[in-house]
mmCIF file of all heavy atoms in Angstrom:
data_model
loop_
_atom_site.group_PDB
_atom_site.id
_atom_site.type_symbol
_atom_site.label_atom_id
_atom_site.label_comp_id
_atom_site.label_asym_id
_atom_site.label_seq_id
_atom_site.Cartn_x
_atom_site.Cartn_y
_atom_site.Cartn_z
ATOM 1 N N GLN S 701 0.849 -1.190 0.000
ATOM 2 C CA GLN S 701 0.000 0.000 0.000
ATOM 3 C C GLN S 701 0.884 1.239 0.000
ATOM 4 O O GLN S 701 1.310 1.725 1.050
ATOM 5 C CB GLN S 701 -0.963 -0.027 1.182
ATOM 6 C CG GLN S 701 -2.012 -1.105 1.001
ATOM 7 C CD GLN S 701 -3.187 -0.989 1.952
ATOM 8 O OE1 GLN S 701 -3.167 -0.232 2.902
ATOM 9 N NE2 GLN S 701 -4.220 -1.771 1.703
ATOM 10 N N LYS S 702 1.173 1.719 -1.205
ATOM 11 C CA LYS S 702 2.057 2.864 -1.390
ATOM 12 C C LYS S 702 1.228 4.143 -1.474
ATOM 13 O O LYS S 702 0.164 4.167 -2.086
ATOM 14 C CB LYS S 702 2.880 2.696 -2.677
ATOM 15 C CG LYS S 702 3.676 1.397 -2.787
ATOM 16 C CD LYS S 702 4.844 1.375 -1.833
ATOM 17 C CE LYS S 702 5.705 0.141 -1.986
ATOM 18 N NZ LYS S 702 6.575 0.149 -3.166
ATOM 19 N N ASN S 703 1.749 5.187 -0.871
ATOM 20 C CA ASN S 703 1.074 6.480 -0.908
ATOM 21 C C ASN S 703 2.126 7.575 -0.725
ATOM 22 O O ASN S 703 2.588 7.829 0.392
ATOM 23 C CB ASN S 703 0.008 6.572 0.193
ATOM 24 C CG ASN S 703 -0.802 7.854 0.124
ATOM 25 O OD1 ASN S 703 -0.439 8.800 -0.595
ATOM 26 N ND2 ASN S 703 -1.903 7.910 0.848
ATOM 27 N N ALA S 704 2.502 8.204 -1.824
ATOM 28 C CA ALA S 704 3.557 9.214 -1.791
ATOM 29 C C ALA S 704 3.187 10.407 -0.915
ATOM 30 O O ALA S 704 4.070 11.049 -0.334
ATOM 31 C CB ALA S 704 3.854 9.681 -3.212
ATOM 32 N N GLN S 705 1.906 10.694 -0.788
ATOM 33 C CA GLN S 705 1.475 11.861 -0.008
ATOM 34 C C GLN S 705 1.836 11.737 1.479
ATOM 35 O O GLN S 705 2.040 12.742 2.161
ATOM 36 C CB GLN S 705 -0.035 12.062 -0.163
ATOM 37 C CG GLN S 705 -0.444 12.457 -1.578
ATOM 38 C CD GLN S 705 -1.950 12.647 -1.705
ATOM 39 O OE1 GLN S 705 -2.718 12.202 -0.843
ATOM 40 N NE2 GLN S 705 -2.365 13.296 -2.776
ATOM 41 N N THR S 706 1.938 10.512 1.970
ATOM 42 C CA THR S 706 2.225 10.324 3.395
ATOM 43 C C THR S 706 3.653 10.732 3.758
ATOM 44 O O THR S 706 3.971 10.904 4.944
ATOM 45 C CB THR S 706 2.007 8.853 3.811
ATOM 46 O OG1 THR S 706 2.883 8.009 3.043
ATOM 47 C CG2 THR S 706 0.573 8.426 3.565
ATOM 48 N N LEU S 707 4.513 10.910 2.758
ATOM 49 C CA LEU S 707 5.898 11.283 3.036
ATOM 50 C C LEU S 707 6.032 12.719 3.537
ATOM 51 O O LEU S 707 7.051 13.080 4.141
ATOM 52 C CB LEU S 707 6.761 11.116 1.779
ATOM 53 C CG LEU S 707 7.454 9.752 1.610
ATOM 54 C CD1 LEU S 707 6.440 8.623 1.522
ATOM 55 C CD2 LEU S 707 8.352 9.754 0.375
ATOM 56 N N ALA S 708 5.002 13.521 3.318
ATOM 57 C CA ALA S 708 5.075 14.945 3.669
ATOM 58 C C ALA S 708 5.391 15.179 5.146
ATOM 59 O O ALA S 708 6.107 16.130 5.487
ATOM 60 C CB ALA S 708 3.764 15.635 3.302
ATOM 61 N N VAL S 709 4.907 14.307 6.022
ATOM 62 C CA VAL S 709 5.106 14.529 7.462
ATOM 63 C C VAL S 709 6.537 14.245 7.904
ATOM 64 O O VAL S 709 6.899 14.501 9.053
ATOM 65 C CB VAL S 709 4.130 13.676 8.314
ATOM 66 C CG1 VAL S 709 2.696 14.054 8.038
ATOM 67 C CG2 VAL S 709 4.365 12.184 8.087
ATOM 68 N N TYR S 710 7.377 13.725 6.996
ATOM 69 C CA TYR S 710 8.760 13.407 7.357
ATOM 70 C C TYR S 710 9.768 14.367 6.722
ATOM 71 O O TYR S 710 10.975 14.164 6.842
ATOM 72 C CB TYR S 710 9.095 11.966 6.932
ATOM 73 C CG TYR S 710 8.053 10.972 7.373
ATOM 74 C CD1 TYR S 710 7.182 10.375 6.447
ATOM 75 C CD2 TYR S 710 7.896 10.626 8.721
ATOM 76 C CE1 TYR S 710 6.210 9.474 6.859
ATOM 77 C CE2 TYR S 710 6.928 9.731 9.134
ATOM 78 C CZ TYR S 710 6.084 9.167 8.197
ATOM 79 O OH TYR S 710 5.120 8.283 8.603
ATOM 80 N N ARG S 711 9.285 15.417 6.077
ATOM 81 C CA ARG S 711 10.187 16.343 5.384
ATOM 82 C C ARG S 711 11.167 17.035 6.324
ATOM 83 O O ARG S 711 12.243 17.444 5.923
ATOM 84 C CB ARG S 711 9.363 17.399 4.629
ATOM 85 C CG ARG S 711 8.768 16.879 3.331
ATOM 86 C CD ARG S 711 8.190 17.995 2.504
ATOM 87 N NE ARG S 711 7.553 17.477 1.297
ATOM 88 C CZ ARG S 711 6.354 17.815 0.865
ATOM 89 N NH1 ARG S 711 5.632 18.694 1.561
ATOM 90 N NH2 ARG S 711 5.847 17.309 -0.233
ATOM 91 N N HIS S 712 10.795 17.181 7.587
ATOM 92 C CA HIS S 712 11.674 17.869 8.534
ATOM 93 C C HIS S 712 12.857 17.007 8.968
ATOM 94 O O HIS S 712 13.767 17.484 9.644
ATOM 95 C CB HIS S 712 10.874 18.293 9.776
ATOM 96 C CG HIS S 712 10.367 17.153 10.603
ATOM 97 N ND1 HIS S 712 9.406 16.270 10.139
ATOM 98 C CD2 HIS S 712 10.688 16.741 11.861
ATOM 99 C CE1 HIS S 712 9.149 15.372 11.081
ATOM 100 N NE2 HIS S 712 9.926 15.627 12.123
ATOM 101 N N GLN S 713 12.837 15.703 8.594
ATOM 102 C CA GLN S 713 13.936 14.792 8.920
ATOM 103 C C GLN S 713 14.501 14.235 7.610
ATOM 104 O O GLN S 713 13.990 13.262 7.068
ATOM 105 C CB GLN S 713 13.437 13.654 9.818
ATOM 106 C CG GLN S 713 12.931 14.124 11.178
ATOM 107 C CD GLN S 713 12.255 12.999 11.946
ATOM 108 O OE1 GLN S 713 11.093 12.673 11.679
ATOM 109 N NE2 GLN S 713 12.964 12.411 12.894
ATOM 110 N N PHE S 714 15.551 14.870 7.114
ATOM 111 C CA PHE S 714 16.056 14.572 5.768
ATOM 112 C C PHE S 714 16.380 13.090 5.575
ATOM 113 O O PHE S 714 15.943 12.474 4.597
ATOM 114 C CB PHE S 714 17.294 15.418 5.463
ATOM 115 C CG PHE S 714 17.893 15.117 4.114
ATOM 116 C CD1 PHE S 714 17.303 15.624 2.959
ATOM 117 C CD2 PHE S 714 19.026 14.325 4.007
ATOM 118 C CE1 PHE S 714 17.840 15.333 1.706
ATOM 119 C CE2 PHE S 714 19.569 14.036 2.754
ATOM 120 C CZ PHE S 714 18.977 14.545 1.602
ATOM 121 N N ASN S 715 17.158 12.504 6.492
ATOM 122 C CA ASN S 715 17.565 11.097 6.333
ATOM 123 C C ASN S 715 16.372 10.153 6.338
ATOM 124 O O ASN S 715 16.310 9.194 5.559
ATOM 125 C CB ASN S 715 18.556 10.702 7.427
ATOM 126 C CG ASN S 715 19.903 11.381 7.263
ATOM 127 O OD1 ASN S 715 20.265 11.819 6.167
ATOM 128 N ND2 ASN S 715 20.650 11.472 8.350
ATOM 129 N N LEU S 716 15.414 10.435 7.223
ATOM 130 C CA LEU S 716 14.216 9.604 7.294
ATOM 131 C C LEU S 716 13.384 9.767 6.025
ATOM 132 O O LEU S 716 12.876 8.785 5.476
ATOM 133 C CB LEU S 716 13.385 9.977 8.527
ATOM 134 C CG LEU S 716 12.076 9.206 8.721
ATOM 135 C CD1 LEU S 716 12.314 7.705 8.742
ATOM 136 C CD2 LEU S 716 11.385 9.657 10.001
ATOM 137 N N TYR S 717 13.268 10.990 5.558
ATOM 138 C CA TYR S 717 12.509 11.245 4.327
ATOM 139 C C TYR S 717 13.119 10.473 3.157
ATOM 140 O O TYR S 717 12.400 9.871 2.354
ATOM 141 C CB TYR S 717 12.486 12.740 4.028
ATOM 142 C CG TYR S 717 11.680 13.100 2.799
ATOM 143 C CD1 TYR S 717 10.303 13.295 2.883
ATOM 144 C CD2 TYR S 717 12.288 13.243 1.549
ATOM 145 C CE1 TYR S 717 9.551 13.606 1.768
ATOM 146 C CE2 TYR S 717 11.551 13.549 0.418
ATOM 147 C CZ TYR S 717 10.175 13.741 0.541
ATOM 148 O OH TYR S 717 9.440 14.044 -0.582
ATOM 149 N N GLU S 718 14.454 10.484 3.074
ATOM 150 C CA GLU S 718 15.130 9.759 1.994
ATOM 151 C C GLU S 718 14.885 8.260 2.109
ATOM 152 O O GLU S 718 14.684 7.574 1.102
ATOM 153 C CB GLU S 718 16.636 10.051 2.034
ATOM 154 C CG GLU S 718 16.993 11.462 1.597
ATOM 155 C CD GLU S 718 16.626 11.734 0.143
ATOM 156 O OE1 GLU S 718 17.163 11.031 -0.730
ATOM 157 O OE2 GLU S 718 15.784 12.625 -0.106
ATOM 158 N N ARG S 719 14.902 7.754 3.339
ATOM 159 C CA ARG S 719 14.631 6.324 3.540
ATOM 160 C C ARG S 719 13.210 5.977 3.123
ATOM 161 O O ARG S 719 12.973 4.958 2.472
ATOM 162 C CB ARG S 719 14.845 5.970 5.017
ATOM 163 C CG ARG S 719 14.570 4.506 5.336
ATOM 164 C CD ARG S 719 14.697 4.214 6.819
ATOM 165 N NE ARG S 719 14.314 2.842 7.130
ATOM 166 C CZ ARG S 719 14.186 2.356 8.354
ATOM 167 N NH1 ARG S 719 14.439 3.132 9.400
ATOM 168 N NH2 ARG S 719 13.810 1.104 8.547
ATOM 169 N N MET S 720 12.257 6.824 3.507
ATOM 170 C CA MET S 720 10.856 6.583 3.142
ATOM 171 C C MET S 720 10.661 6.640 1.634
ATOM 172 O O MET S 720 9.947 5.820 1.050
ATOM 173 C CB MET S 720 9.962 7.624 3.821
ATOM 174 C CG MET S 720 10.006 7.622 5.334
ATOM 175 S SD MET S 720 9.320 6.139 6.065
ATOM 176 C CE MET S 720 7.613 6.280 5.599
ATOM 177 N N ASN S 721 11.308 7.597 0.998
ATOM 178 C CA ASN S 721 11.185 7.747 -0.449
ATOM 179 C C ASN S 721 11.780 6.539 -1.178
ATOM 180 O O ASN S 721 11.235 6.072 -2.178
ATOM 181 C CB ASN S 721 11.866 9.039 -0.912
ATOM 182 C CG ASN S 721 11.534 9.384 -2.347
ATOM 183 O OD1 ASN S 721 10.370 9.395 -2.743
ATOM 184 N ND2 ASN S 721 12.562 9.648 -3.134
ATOM 185 N N ALA S 722 12.899 6.034 -0.664
ATOM 186 C CA ALA S 722 13.512 4.842 -1.260
ATOM 187 C C ALA S 722 12.573 3.643 -1.126
ATOM 188 O O ALA S 722 12.393 2.870 -2.087
ATOM 189 C CB ALA S 722 14.850 4.552 -0.590
ATOM 190 N N ALA S 723 11.955 3.490 0.055
ATOM 191 C CA ALA S 723 11.025 2.380 0.292
ATOM 192 C C ALA S 723 9.808 2.473 -0.629
ATOM 193 O O ALA S 723 9.284 1.452 -1.080
ATOM 194 C CB ALA S 723 10.581 2.367 1.750
ATOM 195 N N LEU S 724 9.389 3.693 -0.905
ATOM 196 C CA LEU S 724 8.244 3.908 -1.789
ATOM 197 C C LEU S 724 8.514 3.331 -3.174
ATOM 198 O O LEU S 724 7.596 2.819 -3.836
ATOM 199 C CB LEU S 724 7.954 5.411 -1.899
ATOM 200 C CG LEU S 724 6.741 5.823 -2.733
ATOM 201 C CD1 LEU S 724 5.444 5.468 -2.010
ATOM 202 C CD2 LEU S 724 6.781 7.322 -3.033
ATOM 203 N N HIS S 725 9.765 3.376 -3.616
ATOM 204 C CA HIS S 725 10.124 2.949 -4.970
ATOM 205 C C HIS S 725 10.662 1.515 -5.031
ATOM 206 O O HIS S 725 11.094 1.067 -6.088
ATOM 207 C CB HIS S 725 11.153 3.920 -5.562
ATOM 208 C CG HIS S 725 10.586 5.266 -5.884
ATOM 209 N ND1 HIS S 725 10.461 6.259 -4.932
ATOM 210 C CD2 HIS S 725 10.080 5.777 -7.033
ATOM 211 C CE1 HIS S 725 9.927 7.328 -5.485
ATOM 212 N NE2 HIS S 725 9.671 7.069 -6.749
ATOM 213 N N GLU S 726 10.608 0.809 -3.913
ATOM 214 C CA GLU S 726 11.056 -0.581 -3.900
ATOM 215 C C GLU S 726 9.862 -1.525 -4.059
ATOM 216 O O GLU S 726 8.732 -1.169 -3.728
ATOM 217 C CB GLU S 726 11.777 -0.873 -2.571
ATOM 218 C CG GLU S 726 13.122 -0.175 -2.452
ATOM 219 C CD GLU S 726 13.704 -0.278 -1.052
ATOM 220 O OE1 GLU S 726 13.022 -0.863 -0.176
ATOM 221 O OE2 GLU S 726 14.806 0.239 -0.835
ATOM 222 N N PRO S 727 10.113 -2.734 -4.577
ATOM 223 C CA PRO S 727 8.993 -3.686 -4.731
ATOM 224 C C PRO S 727 8.454 -4.127 -3.379
ATOM 225 O O PRO S 727 9.215 -4.331 -2.426
ATOM 226 C CB PRO S 727 9.634 -4.864 -5.478
ATOM 227 C CG PRO S 727 11.095 -4.759 -5.181
ATOM 228 C CD PRO S 727 11.380 -3.295 -5.063
#
């Protein structure tokens, strides 16, 4: 269940945001 919009709440934590974004694009 992928949802790119949910990443917005992690923008204040760069490393976490990058990890979440990477997970979004993984199978």
Side-chain angles (χ1 to χ4, degrees):
Q701 290 194 349
K702 305 289 184 75
N703 185 347
Q705 293 180 344
T706 60
L707 268 61
V709 298
Y710 311 108
R711 282 190 183 132
H712 66 294
Q713 296 171 281
F714 178 78
N715 291 338
L716 179 55
Y717 182 85
E718 289 297 299
R719 179 184 175 188
M720 299 293 294
N721 191 50
L724 183 72
H725 290 84
E726 290 170 358

